[in-house]
Amino acid sequence: MPPPARASALHSLLRRTRCFAAANRTALARTFSGHPAGATETQVREEKSGGVKARDDELDVAIVGGGMVGLAVACALSNMPLTKHLRVAVIDSNPALKSRNYLKKDGIPDSRVSTVTPATISFFRDIGAWEHILQQRHDFFDKMQVWDYTGLGYTRYNARDVGKQYLGCVVENKVLCNSLLLRLQEQKEDIENMIYPARLVSLAFPSKNRQVRVAGLKPPSTEAVSIGHTSGELHRSSLVKLDLSDGQTLYSKLVVGADGSKSNVRQIAGIKTSGWSYPQSAIICTVEHIAANDCAWQRFLPSGPIALLPVGDNFSNIVWTMSPEEASRHKSMSPEDFVKSVNHALDFGYGPHPNSSSLDYYMEKLFSGIGDTAASTKESFQVPPKAIGLISERMAFPLSLMHSHDYVSKGLALVGDAAHTVHPLAGQGVNLGFGDAAALAKVISEGVSVGADIGDLSLLNRYENDRKAANVAMAAVLDGFQKMYSVDFGPLNILRAAAFHSAQYISPLKKNIISYAMGDKKSPLFS
C-alpha cells in the first residue's frame, strides 16, 4: 500500500471512532436502564438466566489466549470488587501456563523482552502483579539517547525532565506472564480449573445461527444446543459456544480474543483489518557488557533502527531492524562476527558521532526562554557500551502494521495484537495491549455495577471508543517515523537532524514527547 493510502487508512479509522462515540453512549444508557444500580453479580446472573443456576461449563468471560495481555485481562477482572466473582477462563494450550515459580535472577536473560512504561507499571501495581516482577529479573532505566547515523543530530531524555524516577523498565516476557500467573494464584483458589490447556476449535455466536471452525481443526462430536422450552436451554442459546480441542464445550457471555496478530477469534467473527507489511525484519537477542548498562539507546541506520536496552546486571537486549536479507545474514553469522556488527552499528559505523556545534549554541539560546529547561538539555552525546559477547539465540521476525476495523461485536472483544500491531521502534506494542486490558476490565466492571449484560454491544462499544483512538494515533506516529527514516536523502537528513535538535532544546516539546511515550499523555505534541 503506498504511503498516501496508508495515511488515509489510519485517518479513516480514527475519524470513524469519533463519529460513533456519541451514538454508542446513548445506546449504552438504554441498556443500563434494565437493571437496578448496585445489583450484585449473583442477582444479575440469576436474572439473565431466568433464575437457572449456571452450570460448570457456563462462563462469564472466556479469554482465548494466555499470553501477557490475555492474562492481564484475567488478573484485572479477578482483582476488582465487582468482577472478582465472575467465572473467568483462560484458554491456551501453552504448557508454560502450568509453571508458576519465580524465575532466577542470576540466569541468562531471554531474548524476548518488553519495555514497559510507567503507565503499564501503574496498572500492574493496581492489580497486584508488580510485586512479583520485583522479585524476578528486571531493569529500570532513567535515561535514553536517540541519534541518527549521519552524525547531524541526537536527543537525550532523562526521567528528571518530567519529575519521574525512571522512563521505563525492561522485563522479559516470560517474567511478565509468570508474575500475572502468580498473582492469579493468589486471587483464585481454583486457578487450575480456570486455565483450560486446549486450543479453540470453533465458535458459535448467538446472532449467527451457525458454527465457524478454526482451519485445520476438527470440531469434537457434541450434540447441537437447540433453543428448547426450558429456561436453561433458552439461556444457553444467548451465550457464545466454544468448542475446544480436548472435546470440551464451553458457553460464555463474553469471549475476549487475546490470541495474537493472526487471531482465530477475529477471523471467525469476520472482523476485517487494514494494514501492510514493512520491507523489514527484526532480530532480537541478548548481549553481554563488561559493566552494567543503565540507559536505553536507539540509533537510526539506513535499513532501520537498532536499540540496546538494559535487562539487568551486565546484559542488554538488542532489537535490530533491517531488511529480511540482512536479517537472514546476521542470524547466520558467527557469534563473534555478530557482536562486531552490533558494535559497528552502535559506534562509528555508517557515519560519525554527533558533535556539538555553533548551531547547538544558537538553538539553546533561542529556545531557552520557552518553559523550564529540561534536565537533559545539558547532557552531551555519549557512546553506548560495547558488547563483548552474544549469550542467547538470535530470533528474527517480519514486521507489519495491522489494525482491526472493529474491536468488538456482540459477545466479543479483541485486545492486544489481536486488535492491532505496530512497528517495534518505540517498544509500544505491548503497552497498548496492557492499556486494552485495563480499559476492558474497567468497562466490564461498570457494566456489572449497573446490571448490564457484559456481552452487550452497547457496553463493549465504550471499550472500543476508549482504546481505538489512542491505538490508531500511536500506530500513525510509529508508521510516520518508519517512513521518515526509510529514505537516505541529503535534504531529508538535514530536516531529521533539525527535528532531533528541536526535541533536544525545546523543553516543552521534549517533556510532552516523554510523557506521551510514558503513557501519561494522549498526544506527543503540546497538550
Side-chain angles (χ1 to χ4, degrees):
M1 184 181 293
R6 296 182 186 182
S8 177
L10 289 169
H11 177 71
S12 177
L13 284 168
L14 186 59
R15 182 178 56 190
R16 184 181 174 199
T17 300
R18 292 170 176 165
C19 288
F20 285 100
N24 289 335
R25 284 193 294 269
T26 303
L28 180 62
R30 297 195 193 103
T31 301
F32 282 178
S33 64
H35 297 279
T40 66
E41 174 57 21
T42 301
Q43 292 170 333
V44 173
R45 183 193 296 274
E46 291 179 352
E47 182 176 345
K48 287 290 182 182
S49 60
V52 177
K53 184 178 180 181
R55 303 177 187 178
D56 290 341
D57 58 357
E58 292 181 4
L59 306 167
D60 294 298
V61 183
I63 302 169
V64 181
M68 295 180 287
V69 176
L71 291 174
V73 174
C75 205
L77 291 174
S78 299
N79 192 68
M80 293 188 293
L82 291 176
T83 58
K84 65 182 181 181
H85 300 300
L86 295 181
R87 296 197 64 201
V88 178
V90 177
I91 301 165
D92 196 308
S93 59
N94 186 354
L97 293 178
K98 292 294 183 181
S99 175
R100 291 185 286 278
N101 298 314
Y102 285 114
L103 301 173
K104 295 181 180 179
K105 288 186 176 182
D106 57 357
I108 298 299
D110 192 72
S111 56
R112 289 162 293 191
V113 305
S114 294
T115 304
V116 294
T117 63
T120 292
I121 293 172
S122 178
F123 168 58
F124 267 68
R125 285 196 175 117
D126 289 343
I127 62 178
W130 191 249
E131 290 302 315
H132 294 293
I133 288 177
L134 294 178
Q135 297 181 53
Q136 301 173 82
R137 186 169 39 242
H138 63 282
D139 199 20
F140 290 97
F141 61 92
D142 61 355
K143 298 184 290 292
M144 183 173 185
Q145 178 174 285
V146 183
W147 74 109
D148 87 5
Y149 65 94
T150 64
L152 296 176
Y154 75 95
T155 302
R156 287 182 63 84
Y157 301 101
N158 196 307
R160 291 178 299 158
D161 292 341
V162 288
K164 302 289 185 179
Q165 290 184 318
Y166 50 81
L167 294 175
C169 185
V170 182
V171 189
E172 294 162 67
N173 291 356
K174 63 183 181 181
V175 170
L176 289 167
C177 285
N178 197 51
S179 299
L180 291 165
L181 284 167
L182 287 166
R183 178 56 180 155
L184 274 175
Q185 188 169 253
E186 294 174 343
Q187 296 166 323
K188 296 286 187 179
E189 295 180 358
D190 60 341
I191 186 174
E192 298 298 335
N193 297 325
M194 179 183 181
I195 297 175
Y196 287 75
R199 295 177 62 190
L200 177 70
V201 174
S202 64
L203 281 175
F205 291 93
S207 59
K208 300 176 182 179
N209 196 20
R210 62 187 180 90
Q211 186 178 60
V212 186
R213 179 169 61 90
V214 176
L217 293 178
K218 184 178 180 180
S221 178
T222 57
E223 294 182 2
V225 177
S226 60
I227 302 178
H229 299 290
T230 67
S231 58
E233 291 174 331
L234 184 61
H235 169 59
R236 278 200 167 186
S237 70
S238 66
L239 304 177
V240 182
K241 179 185 176 185
L242 303 91
D243 288 322
L244 309 184
S245 59
D246 61 1
Q248 294 189 78
T249 297
L250 303 174
Y251 300 85
S252 184
K253 294 178 182 177
L254 174 64
V255 173
V256 177
D259 50 343
S261 59
K262 297 180 180 178
S263 170
N264 285 320
V265 173
R266 185 187 68 235
Q267 294 176 25
I268 290 172
I271 296 177
K272 296 181 179 180
T273 64
S274 294
W276 44 84
S277 296
Y278 293 112
Q280 296 173 318
S281 292
I283 281 189
I284 59 174
C285 62
T286 304
V287 296
E288 187 176 9
H289 308 289
I290 295 176
N293 176 25
D294 62 352
C295 179
W297 313 82
Q298 185 167 53
R299 188 185 190 195
F300 285 93
L301 304 176
S303 59
I306 180 172
L308 184 73
L309 308 171
V311 292
D313 297 326
N314 293 0
F315 303 120
S316 290
N317 183 260
I318 294 286
V319 183
W320 193 352
T321 301
M322 58 187 71
S323 70
E325 296 76 19
E326 288 180 314
S328 178
R329 183 170 63 85
H330 278 79
K331 190 176 178 183
S332 60
M333 281 180 179
S334 69
E336 295 77 15
D337 287 341
F338 180 79
V339 169
K340 289 180 181 177
S341 186
V342 166
N343 289 327
H344 181 75
L346 288 168
D347 202 343
F348 268 109
Y350 301 94
H353 296 156
N355 293 311
S356 297
S357 65
S358 57
L359 175 63
D360 298 333
Y361 173 80
Y362 288 114
M363 290 191 73
E364 184 175 358
K365 289 293 184 183
L366 179 62
F367 297 118
S368 61
I370 303 178
D372 297 331
T373 301
S376 59
T377 300
K378 299 291 185 179
E379 295 180 3
S380 59
F381 174 84
Q382 294 181 17
V383 179
K386 285 191 175 183
I388 61 171
L390 174 68
I391 63 167
S392 76
E393 64 174 323
R394 284 160 283 180
M395 304 176 65
F397 54 93
L399 304 182
S400 63
L401 181 147
M402 181 277 295
H403 199 273
S404 298
H405 292 185
D406 300 296
Y407 286 14
V408 299
S409 63
K410 181 173 174 55
L412 171 69
L414 301 177
V415 294
D417 285 356
H420 45 78
T421 61
V422 296
H423 197 286
L425 65 85
Q428 290 293 330
V430 74
N431 293 293
L432 297 179
F434 287 135
D436 294 345
L440 179 59
K442 180 181 177 183
V443 165
I444 292 173
S445 178
E446 291 172 350
V448 170
S449 71
V450 294
D453 175 6
I454 61 174
D456 189 87
L457 184 58
S458 299
L459 174 69
L460 297 176
N461 274 332
R462 293 190 64 184
Y463 156 68
E464 178 176 296
N465 293 335
D466 180 29
R467 292 303 301 163
K468 184 182 282 189
N471 293 338
V472 170
M474 179 62 77
V477 169
L478 298 180
D479 185 63
F481 267 100
Q482 189 278 332
K483 289 200 289 286
M484 183 170 68
Y485 283 96
S486 64
V487 178
D488 184 13
F489 180 58
L492 181 59
N493 293 342
I494 295 174
L495 288 175
R496 285 199 303 250
F500 268 127
H501 279 77
S502 296
Q504 176 71 353
Y505 292 105
I506 305 177
S507 292
L509 175 61
K510 172 178 278 192
K511 292 176 181 178
N512 272 269
I513 291 173
I514 296 173
S515 295
Y516 180 62
M518 293 171 65
D520 293 337
K521 289 183 178 291
K522 293 185 177 181
S523 171
L525 300 178
F526 301 103
S527 60

